[in-house]
Amino acid sequence: MASFLTRLVDTLLCRQKDIPENRTIFVNHKPPPTNDVYFHQKFPDNTIISSKYTIITFLPKNLFEQFRRIANFYFLLVAVLQLLIDSPVSPITSILPLVFVILVTAVKQAYEDWLRHKADNEVNKRPTFILHGRNIKEINSYQINVGDIVKVKVEEELPCDMLLLSSHNEEGECYVTTANLDGETNLKIFRALPDSTILQDEESLDSLSAMVECEQPQPDLYKFIGRMSFYTQNQQPSVRSVTAENVLLRGSRLKNTPFIYGVAIYTGEETKMALNSKQKGQKHSCIENSMNKYLVAMLVWLLVQTSIATGLKFWIDRQPFMEKSWYVQPVAVSYGDLTASAKVIFTDFLSFLVLFNYIIPISLYVTIELQKFLGSVFFGWDLKIYDANADLRAKANTSDLNEELGQVEYMFTDKTGTLTENDMQFRQCSVAGVKYIEKEGALVPLNDSTATPEMMREFLLCLALCHTVHVNKDQGDDGTDSPDGMNAATDYTLWEYEASSPDEKALVDAARRFGVVLTNNTQEYSEVMMDGDLVRYQLLHVLEFDPTRKCMSVIIKTPDGNVKVLCKGAESTILARSVSGQKDLALDHVNDYALEGLRTLCFSSRDLSQSEYNDFHDQLQEASTALDNREEKLNKVFNIVEQELRLLGATGVEDKLQDGVPETIEALRTAGIKVWVLTGDKQETAVNISHSCKHFKPHMQELMLVKQPNGQQCGETLWRFLEQMKADPKVSYAMVIDGPSLFHALEHHIDTLRDLCMHCVAVLCCRMSPLQKAEVVKLVKFSAKRPTTMAIGDGANDVSMIQEAHIGLGIMGKEGRQAVRCSDYAFSRFKFLVRVLLVHGAWYYNRIAITVQYFFYKNVAFISAQFFFAFYSAFSEQTIFDSFYLTLFNITFTSLPILIFGIFEQHITSEMLLKNPRLYKEIRKNAKMSWSQCVYWLLLGLIHALLIFYFTLLLFKNDASVFPDQKALGNRALGTIMYTCCVLLVNIKLCIETRYWNWMVIASMAISVLGYPVLTSVYTGVIWYNVTQWDFFDTTSVYFVFFVTHKSLAVWLCILIIICASLLPDYIYKTCQLYFFPSESQVKQRSWTGCHSCPALACLYYLPSEGLVMEQSQSEDTGICNQGLETTSRETTVHTILEQDRSISPGVEEPTLPKHPKAVKPEEFDGRGRVNPAFSRDIGEVMDEDNLSLGTYKLVYQTEDDNRTKETTITVL
């Protein structure tokens, strides 16, 4: 109770709990045998809670979340108003739809949370074993506390984050998979500290006296800073550095190791797995922002309608004729309507507000949620983006951004593993200034000179030892090792190498092929086989790779006792730190490799004296056991030993492009998406890859912002480039920026850099850090036009830009799955990006855009009649629709078709979208949710409401009867006819908008249209108040009205006329727009349909200028109409009839060109504009963003005077 009150007071007073910078953990809860005083720290238990609600908190928390939405909160206020005032309609009309929407959402969220509770219980109650005294005790997983010694057996999942103490392996090693954490399925090796590896049983562990000091929990999976102190009697404690290599994380699974022991350091919600499971910052789509604006606009329109009705009621009540209205005056006086008091005016205002409030679509949110969720499910089911070779299907980590895939304007992509395969193969190397190339498993020099055997041996030894590769030996069926005799150097299948970096594996594999075979690699030594001899090198230290140093090193002791430093890294680092060796030749060779698109590394070594090593060891021990600023201190020590190096050589490793990368980038560029490549590779390699993948094209002029020493020179270079662009704006520019220059530009000239880069066709940034990638994304994201950005990558270094961009895409590559986990959508191949954006993105956006606008349209068409009726009812706040109709319009009679539409609609076929990437431009910048589109839909709804109301009113003019017995109809009949017209009309309107029909769409339409008369018949055919005694059914005004009204043929004729008249304006508008102002997609669809409907393969276009003839021919291999307007190439040769080189199908005569062709406009001519003959031989690309032409073509034609064949170039605008 006291702790609860303390937490309550801290919360109310906004006091933060004091948390120490580091945590101290006593192993097995035994304080160290010292006189030091330690404060007891409280840690959470190992309970995992992924659920959002409990039985107590579900109702208030869920209701709070739902009523944060504008529409839900609005209808709650309206429902309360209806209960507080003399409402003109039953409060049930607002309460029932609101309850339905809230209930559906609550049930969905409750079910999802119940599944989370179920999963939590399964994990929390999993049997676990801990050390209790000298025995092993079984407990539930949630009962583990920090400091417990936990025993984990093979194939078991680790229950908490634990520091490895020992294992069945005498060297303290164990193997785990971390697929639940980062998606990597390869085995990873973890090692215990040397002081605790011998503690392999319960008795020895019970005697352990140790203390762990480490940082507080943080989510980085690959970082851990701590130290462990081992205490023995009457001796100073030995302090060891603890790194991520010694810490096993919750969610990992133990493999190939019978058992391990570890001490729990992070439990429950403080584990790294739990911290990484926390939700990312919420991203919002453009549709959601537009929808909120629409809601605000509709609320303003509602207030305007309500104010008009209230003002006119006040004016009419004071007209002279009202005093003579014997049937109105007494009631008005009794209610005080004629007093004009503020209370009366406010009450009237609220009454009209309730009467007109149905203009806001209450079921909009729940419909869109269902559409998005099911759309994301279909995304994963698409076989066209399924990788059968790797058995990987696409994955949607969110459904909130589906439509945003159709809005991308800038794409930022990593290179390695995203554009390339990340499958490294050794190709060339440079040793002692001599170039070598691999041929048939051997190194062959490219000239007569060769390196000395000693230099070659040392270089290959550096390849075989400078790494963090782990060796796995193939096991026989009986569990014994394969023979390891003298043939080990040639039996390359004997050893299997596992590495976190594909580069390292490629280099170790290469050394094996060249005769230096790595046979074992532990934390204490490395063994290599050279010339049939097994040589063991003592591994003293591993200085891991750091993006700041751009290198890694190992310190070894040779069999003869010498200490050596082996170092590898980027040429910018290694060459600068080398004092001997063929530096100039190596730099030339590295640049040559880079121009060939190879990834380069340089290798060097250094001999250390024993005193130098001892000094370094002492400094390293001090830095590695520090808890504050450990990384900075370690880098400082590393830089001491990684100096005065002797250059050994360099390597060139090939990373092939993925299939379809050039075609994908070209399609994205045609779609209007600008592609920026952000990579950490060196400039020459990155530029070469950009050319090979068609990111850069030969005609582009490259602007090189590289090697800028300071901000002033960087600014001068940027201004010079801007002036160059202004002087020659027709040239296509490509920008190359390196990391140091980018730093100066972002620091001092960010606006200039943004203007320059955004006017370039392509941008390449090289030698970048992960943080700089995110800064570049932010540079474009927050520019003046606020373009929609997308980032795609495959590695942990891409996470920052993936999370910064509007949309983040992950590639399921070979660098782990951290990028996939942090992304919004993920798939395995870069080429799938075309279908993801051009097809799924276009479909998602079109569906949601029409859904949102259709909802507002149908509500305006429905409830506006209520406003018009007020003018004919003396603004008496009388409703024309029964409460039953008001209640079920949105949640029953018009809800199912639009839901199915939003799931299955395909306004353009996938084949056409893929064939014509330019169509993607039509939907960018939220084009279908513009204010002009909004006005069109709302105006259409208003026109339909006017026609429905006044045409129906004509039926009742002068009390004319529509029955032979002259029976008259009343207000309820008027409302019923209007309601029938509205239900039929809005559903037919959706049919007009539907382009893709299947049985689900047809069934939803049938259920909606037929469900209306069925439910209405049930409601109006029985006096339900006599059955239920509910006040909702306390009126009989609609009893049998539906049956009586719809008996008349005149009523059905009126309904037919109303529907036809209502659809006529829309038909006229669409027809004029199609024939006189067609969009490019409409042009494509018409030509596509015309091509496939024509039995001949050739479709002729007669152009009215000089009798030119264009032919669109059918591709023989794809069967898709290969028109000039559809080609992805911007300058394409179009064959005329005179120069046909394609075969005509059998039975189809080859068309001939008339000698004097008439200038006749063909049926297929799209009417977009004109044909502009241009008689210059060379016309560049037509790539104007704002006024795009339809293409540039070379045409062969015949003159009328001498029948000579000529060639010219025309641009179709």
Side-chain angles (χ1 to χ4, degrees), residues 961-967:
S961 176
V962 294
F963 298 101
D965 57 2
Q966 300 302 304
K967 183 186 297 183

Side-chain angles (χ1 to χ4, degrees), residues 465 521-526 537-542 554-557:
L465 294 178
N521 191 28
T522 70
Q523 60 181 337
E524 296 181 354
Y525 64 87
S526 296
Y537 295 87
Q538 184 180 352
L539 186 60
L540 301 177
H541 297 288
V542 177
V554 295
I555 302 178
I556 61 172
K557 179 178 283 189

Side-chain angles (χ1 to χ4, degrees), residues 842-885:
W843 285 349
Y844 285 144
Y845 177 77
N846 181 74
R847 292 165 183 168
I848 296 297
I850 292 183
T851 296
V852 172
Q853 295 178 113
Y854 175 79
F855 261 94
F856 287 105
Y857 149 77
K858 69 185 180 69
N859 277 40
V860 169
F862 169 55
I863 208 61
S864 294
Q866 196 88 287
F867 178 70
F868 302 147
F869 183 69
F871 288 85
Y872 294 86
S873 61
F875 297 94
S876 59
E877 301 160 12
Q878 184 180 6
T879 177
I880 194 173
F881 298 120
D882 184 75
S883 297
F884 172 83
Y885 297 144

Side-chain angles (χ1 to χ4, degrees), residues 1170-1174 1179-1180 1182 1189-1193 1209-1213:
R1170 60 197 182 281
V1171 177
N1172 218 7
I1179 292 183
V1182 183
S1189 70
L1190 291 184
T1192 302
Y1193 307 94
T1209 306
I1210 67 166
T1211 302
V1212 182
L1213 301 178

Side-chain angles (χ1 to χ4, degrees), residues 101 207 350 365 587 600 629 657 674 790 868 1125 1151 1161 1195:
V101 171
S207 63
L350 294 181
Y365 280 115
L587 180 59
T600 60
N629 303 320
L657 281 177
K674 290 190 175 182
M790 181 188 74
F868 302 147
L1125 304 183
K1161 178 179 176 180
L1195 242 66

Side-chain angles (χ1 to χ4, degrees), residues 869 872-873 876 878-882 885 952-953 956 959 968-978 1037-1038 1041 1045:
F869 183 69
Y872 294 86
S873 61
S876 59
Q878 184 180 6
T879 177
I880 194 173
F881 298 120
D882 184 75
Y885 297 144
T952 307
L953 203 62
F956 291 77
D959 293 327
L969 297 177
N971 288 347
R972 292 306 183 192
L974 176 67
T976 299
I977 297 173
M978 291 181 181
S1037 58
V1038 294
V1041 170
T1045 303

Side-chain angles (χ1 to χ4, degrees), residues 1133-1144:
T1133 302
V1134 180
H1135 301 291
T1136 63
I1137 303 304
L1138 296 175
E1139 292 190 351
Q1140 285 193 359
D1141 59 356
R1142 295 182 184 269
S1143 59
I1144 305 299

